[in-house]
Amino acid sequence: MHWIDPESLPLVNGVLERFVLNPHGEVDGFVMRAGDKDILVHTPPHMAAELTRHIKAGDAVGARGVKPRGAQLLAAVAVSAEDGRQIIDHGPDEEREHPKHDHHRMDAEGKVRLSLFGPKGELRGALLTDGTVVRVGPKEAAEIAELLAPKATLAVRGDGIDTRFGRVIHAREAGPDLKSLAPLKHGPKKGPEHGPKDGPKNGPKHGPKHKHGPKHDHAHA
């Protein structure tokens, strides 16, 4: 949303508590405390380097952004650092690449502190009370929404990354506890409706064009 003028949006202030990670181990937001409320702020990954350079846990920060419908989230266009510096979303760098991290299988189990959302308000995971970030795709998240709700007990297993800002697990299995894990259905479902339309059961829809004999036999009579 780098095309939005940040000054046209209200400023929300708070104290930065922790950064939030995406499945690639990149910072794509943070949690800040405003009074007695936790506010989830989404920032695009291309802002990560500047954000982590100028703000840290415990800093007083501000965010200007938009709130999607039906999601407890502020999608930030600009972030104010404690020293007054403005960190603004100027759009992604075309040559930007994902950081390189060691990936390994990882488990987690605990209470959900916050549901995590994408910038348009789509459910995308959960933040556990121990600080573990759990990420799932939007379709899979919709299927296990009750497990991703605050105060729910969530267990996951998947592709994990440890970073200096915490750990993130891209869940492949989920359940109420580690003994009850079930695979998440990543990607589109494949059923018979996606098979060939002219299978052997129904036969070909179109027969040979010469079914009724040559059209021009009279030319040689």
Side-chain angles (χ1 to χ4, degrees), residues 2-215:
H2 55 279
W3 44 270
I4 298 177
D5 179 4
E7 295 301 320
S8 69
L9 301 170
L11 178 66
V12 179
N13 294 306
V15 176
L16 191 150
E17 184 177 283
R18 62 167 299 112
F19 289 107
V20 177
L21 306 171
N22 69 12
H24 302 289
E26 301 167 298
V27 168
D28 73 344
F30 55 88
V31 177
M32 67 179 181
R33 190 76 175 170
D36 60 349
K37 295 182 180 180
D38 289 328
I39 298 177
L40 175 64
V41 179
H42 175 274
T43 55
H46 57 259
M47 291 178 65
E50 192 173 5
L51 280 174
T52 56
R53 187 182 307 123
H54 297 295
I55 64 176
K56 64 184 185 301
D59 283 358
V61 297
R64 295 182 187 272
V66 297
K67 184 183 181 303
R69 295 178 185 176
Q72 296 301 314
L73 170 78
L74 184 65
V77 175
V79 175
S80 303
E82 194 167 55
D83 61 2
R85 178 186 296 269
Q86 294 292 309
I87 304 165
I88 299 173
D89 179 8
H90 292 294
D93 183 349
E94 293 183 0
E95 299 181 358
R96 181 180 161 275
E97 297 182 355
H98 295 305
K100 295 181 179 180
H101 292 288
D102 291 328
H103 296 245
H104 54 277
R105 195 179 83 159
M106 190 179 291
D107 298 344
E109 183 176 6
K111 291 284 186 181
V112 174
R113 178 182 172 190
L114 290 173
S115 300
L116 299 180
F117 300 90
K120 296 180 180 180
E122 66 277 22
L123 184 62
R124 293 301 301 269
L127 173 67
L128 302 185
T129 54
D130 69 356
T132 300
V133 174
V134 176
R135 292 293 191 175
V136 295
K139 292 182 179 179
E140 293 76 22
E143 294 177 356
I144 60 167
E146 68 281 357
L147 293 176
L148 303 176
K151 299 183 180 180
T153 300
L154 172 66
V156 296
R157 176 174 293 138
D159 183 28
I161 301 174
D162 286 301
T163 79
R164 64 190 178 104
F165 300 111
R167 67 173 183 163
V168 57
I169 302 176
H170 187 191
R172 303 297 182 182
E173 302 173 70
D177 56 65
L178 290 173
K179 295 181 180 179
S180 306
L181 294 177
L184 296 176
K185 299 175 182 178
H186 290 263
K189 296 180 180 179
K190 293 183 179 180
E193 67 275 13
H194 300 296
K197 294 182 180 180
D198 54 353
K201 183 177 179 180
N202 297 322
K205 288 187 176 180
H206 304 288
K209 292 183 178 180
H210 59 275
K211 181 177 179 181
H212 300 291
K215 292 183 179 180

